[in-house]
């Protein structure tokens, strides 16, 4: 198996592959899957004028993972990490970390120095929370019962070197 190739633009088939990839993880609801698709459709339709930026990892024309991020309007240098999704068979192979590193470099080159990520407090998201800690994020806020009773939201922050 060869390492995936990375690109930072979307092509016509990407929204379909992103939707299929999000479904394949088994983590996300139908509503969340629709949101992931909506961001990809917007980025494809509007190109550089879209608010959403992407890093896509593909191998043999198949999407293996992607990260989506964007500048937070009204902030000087804050960015949101909207999605980081890796195909189940490619998890635990550092693909998520590699895409995050590429996203961070793009954010820094655009003057960003704060990257926020959020996730659920549900037990199934323990690996996601561990990933953020391993990648240098720290918990900045927690909102109990945010998504639903018993399902809070944790907001993580990673300070990026200015340079």
């Amino acid at each position: 198996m060869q390492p995936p190739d990375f690109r930072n633009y979307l092509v016509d088939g990407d929204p379909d592959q992103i939707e299929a990839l999000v479904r394949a993880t088994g983590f996300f609801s139908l509503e969340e899957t629709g949101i992931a698709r909506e961001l990809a459709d917007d980025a494809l339709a509007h190109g550089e004028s879209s608010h959403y930026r992407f890093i896509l990892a593909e191998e043999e024309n198949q999407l293996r993972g992607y990260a989506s991020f964007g500048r937070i309007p009204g902030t000087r240098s804050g960015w949101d990490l909207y999605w980081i999704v890796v195909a189940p068979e490619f998890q635990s192979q550092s693909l998520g970390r590699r895409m995050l590193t590429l996203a961070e470099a793009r954010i820094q080159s655009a003057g960003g120095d704060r990257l926020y990520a959020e996730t659920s407090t549900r037990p199934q998201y323990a690996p996601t929370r561990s990933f953020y800690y391993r990648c240098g994020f720290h918990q900045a806020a927690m909102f109990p019962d945010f998504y639903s009773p018993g399902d809070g939201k944790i907001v993580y922050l990673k300070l990026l070197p200015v340079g």
Side-chain angles (χ1 to χ4, degrees):
M1 195 180 311
Q2 71 183 47
D5 294 318
F6 296 95
R7 59 184 163 85
N8 58 11
Y9 58 90
L10 283 92
V11 297
D12 284 338
D14 286 337
D16 290 337
Q17 285 200 56
I18 285 170
E19 184 176 346
L21 179 63
V22 170
R23 286 181 197 273
T25 67
F27 263 60
F28 304 104
S29 69
L30 288 176
E31 183 178 16
E32 290 168 321
T33 301
I35 293 168
R37 172 68 188 243
E38 185 179 315
L39 271 59
D41 286 338
D42 184 274
L44 184 60
H46 297 103
E48 286 299 312
S49 66
S50 172
H51 176 74
Y52 307 110
R53 303 288 176 256
F54 283 80
I55 300 290
L56 300 107
E58 64 184 355
E59 177 189 66
E60 298 174 5
N61 296 318
Q62 290 295 310
L63 188 64
R64 303 304 186 196
Y66 81 97
S68 176
F69 51 98
R71 187 179 171 283
I72 302 171
T75 68
R76 182 184 63 80
S77 57
W79 288 66
D80 274 325
L81 177 63
Y82 298 118
W83 295 85
I84 190 158
V85 180
V86 176
E89 65 272 19
F90 284 80
Q91 292 175 5
S92 301
Q93 296 182 22
S94 298
L95 183 56
R97 185 183 292 267
R98 290 167 55 204
M99 290 186 300
L100 179 60
T101 299
L102 292 169
E104 290 171 358
R106 284 184 59 200
I107 290 165
Q108 287 174 286
S109 71
D113 64 5
R114 303 172 101 54
L115 180 58
Y116 295 90
E118 63 182 58
T119 194
S120 168
T121 61
R122 289 192 325 240
Q124 84 181 67
Y125 285 90
T128 303
R129 294 188 298 270
S130 178
F131 170 79
Y132 288 134
Y133 284 122
R134 287 191 320 272
C135 291
F137 287 81
H138 68 273
Q139 183 175 322
M142 205 283 262
F143 303 94
D145 303 318
F146 182 85
Y147 297 109
S148 65
D151 185 9
K153 174 169 86 168
I154 299 176
V155 178
Y156 293 96
L157 168 62
K158 182 173 185 180
L159 299 176
L160 304 175
V162 179

